[in-house]
Amino acid sequence: MHSWWKSPWWAAAAVVVPAGLMLYGVSVPGGNYDTLVAALWGWAIVGLAWLVTSVAWLGDSPPESRWRLWPLVVVPAVFTASWWASSGDLVGKATFAHYRADLERLADRAPVHEVTAVGPYSFNSVGRVSGCVLYNLRGPGMAQASGFAWCPGTTPTEAHWSEGEVFEPIDGDWYVFLVRHGAYTNRATGADPWGLQITELRSIPHV
């Protein structure tokens, strides 16, 4: 008979933490480095616990009672679903739509030079540049810099920006931007503005 702490339900319940962290981490353009790293460590720990529990229960349980181990299916199922959801732009764009009005109100305070939070967004600064209000995110995970640009009545073009910024329209006068790793040599290769991209995940010192 297995101890209660070896129950397959523990691993199944624990997936909520890394799955939530992963989705939260990609809710901002370029991802949040600290949150995504915590999510990956969380998945590693949950995966190890799932593996140990699976081996223990499958080895000791009689074949006729193995149907009770169905909670073990939850871990790979949630992992696959959360990884798929995190890899696209749905989470990021839905989050932006929810906080759009708050971001527009923040523009009235520009320039803002201290760290300012709006929902999941933590901005190093909010300022006006070349006809746009630029929202610089703190601690991006897959780019040197990232954030939003609100450009009423104008369109941001590379000719007006010197740091390697790449802009992608979201809705109306709103754009998401990022400065890719190595943008000075080739701004066309590297991370997309939205979604989990493990190969681009690097630590950037907080400013």
Side-chain angles (χ1 to χ4, degrees):
M1 184 173 180
H2 294 279
S3 301
W4 64 270
W5 55 271
K6 292 182 180 179
S7 168
W9 281 105
W10 285 107
V15 297
V16 174
V17 175
L21 287 172
M22 183 172 287
L23 294 172
Y24 191 83
V26 298
S27 65
V28 301
N32 180 275
Y33 178 81
D34 292 338
T35 305
L36 289 175
V37 168
L40 294 175
W41 274 107
W43 276 123
I45 295 169
V46 169
L48 180 61
W50 174 83
L51 180 62
V52 171
T53 303
S54 299
V55 170
W57 279 78
L58 290 173
D60 296 346
S61 301
E64 63 273 13
S65 66
R66 287 183 180 175
W67 63 270
R68 298 177 180 175
L69 303 182
W70 68 266
L72 293 174
V73 179
V74 172
V75 175
V78 173
F79 174 80
T80 302
S82 63
W83 199 282
W84 174 83
S86 299
S87 298
D89 61 5
L90 180 62
V91 175
K93 289 186 175 181
T95 304
F96 166 78
H98 182 75
Y99 288 101
R100 177 174 177 170
D102 295 327
L103 294 173
E104 291 178 354
R105 283 192 291 271
L106 179 59
D108 294 335
R109 295 169 48 197
V112 180
H113 298 295
E114 69 272 9
V115 176
T116 305
V118 175
Y121 309 123
S122 180
F123 299 111
N124 279 321
S125 63
V126 180
R128 301 182 186 277
V129 182
S130 300
C132 299
V133 178
L134 211 64
Y135 302 72
N136 289 290
L137 280 163
R138 184 175 176 82
M142 292 165 285
Q144 293 183 37
S146 65
F148 298 106
W150 188 26
C151 306
T154 187
T155 300
T157 61
E158 293 183 4
H160 298 147
W161 305 85
S162 60
E163 300 300 323
E165 293 90 342
V166 176
F167 295 85
E168 178 180 295
I170 308 174
D171 184 51
D173 297 323
W174 279 94
Y175 298 80
V176 61
F177 81 88
L178 55 76
V179 178
R180 295 184 171 110
H181 299 302
Y184 294 102
T185 57
N186 188 354
R187 73 177 67 197
T189 50
D192 294 323
W194 302 108
L196 178 65
Q197 298 146 86
I198 292 296
T199 57
E200 297 294 331
L201 188 61
R202 306 176 197 174
S203 175
I204 301 296
H206 292 320
V207 179

